[in-house]
């Protein structure tokens, strides 16, 4: 999206344990009308944590330039997202979204 106001809140969290990587928490402004409901969605609940960790292992911080690091994060998130199974959805007459695997 090109909407610069899509982020309502953005913050970093301290590293966990001995890690030197901070966490990122963001709150987005998203609209959800009937036309924007996707018929196929990512089913994140079906992903095993171990699988996510394996996919994120190749992430190495080889640069100190922010632009390059964001590109690295983006490509890794894309790789992870592509491995997530999808679920088909439909909207009934009452506007309730129903899922089927």
């Amino acid at each position: 999206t090109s909407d610069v106001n899509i982020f309502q809140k953005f913050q970093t969290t301290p590293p966990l344990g001995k890690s030197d990587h901070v966490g990122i928490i963001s709150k987005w402004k998203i609209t959800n009308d009937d036309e924007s409901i996707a018929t196929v969605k990512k089913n994140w609940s079906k992903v095993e944590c171990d699988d996510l960790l394996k996919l994120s292992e190749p992430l190495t911080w080889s640069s100190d330039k922010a632009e390059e690091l964001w590109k690295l994060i983006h490509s890794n998130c894309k790789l992870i997202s592509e491995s997530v199974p999808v679920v088909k959805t439909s909207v009934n007459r009452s506007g309730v979204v129903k899922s089927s695997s």
Side-chain angles (χ1 to χ4, degrees), residues 50-59 76 79-81 83:
D50 290 339
D51 294 339
L52 286 178
L53 290 173
K54 286 178 189 172
L55 287 169
S56 63
E57 283 177 4
L59 190 59
N76 201 46
L79 173 71
I80 291 170
S81 180
S83 69

Side-chain angles (χ1 to χ4, degrees), residues 6-75:
I6 195 167
F7 287 109
Q8 292 179 330
K9 185 177 180 182
F10 187 83
Q11 70 184 64
T12 58
T13 62
L16 295 175
K18 296 182 181 180
S19 173
D20 62 347
H21 300 349
V22 298
I24 299 173
I25 299 174
S26 62
K27 183 176 179 183
W28 300 29
K29 178 180 66 173
I30 299 175
T31 59
N32 189 11
D33 53 27
D34 289 343
E35 293 177 9
S36 66
I37 296 176
T39 56
V40 176
K41 295 184 179 182
K42 299 283 185 179
N43 193 356
W44 287 94
S45 65
K46 298 291 184 185
V47 178
E48 295 293 328
C49 288
D50 290 339
D51 294 339
L52 286 178
L53 290 173
K54 286 178 189 172
L55 287 169
S56 63
E57 283 177 4
L59 190 59
T60 55
W61 303 99
S62 57
S63 173
D64 59 353
K65 295 181 180 177
E67 182 77 21
E68 290 177 14
L69 292 174
W70 278 114
K71 286 179 182 178
L72 180 64
I73 292 170
H74 178 264
S75 65

Side-chain angles (χ1 to χ4, degrees), residues 37-41 87-92 95-100:
I37 296 176
T39 56
V40 176
K41 295 184 179 182
V87 61
K88 293 181 182 179
T89 62
S90 61
V91 180
N92 66 16
V96 177
V97 177
K98 295 189 174 192
S99 301
S100 62

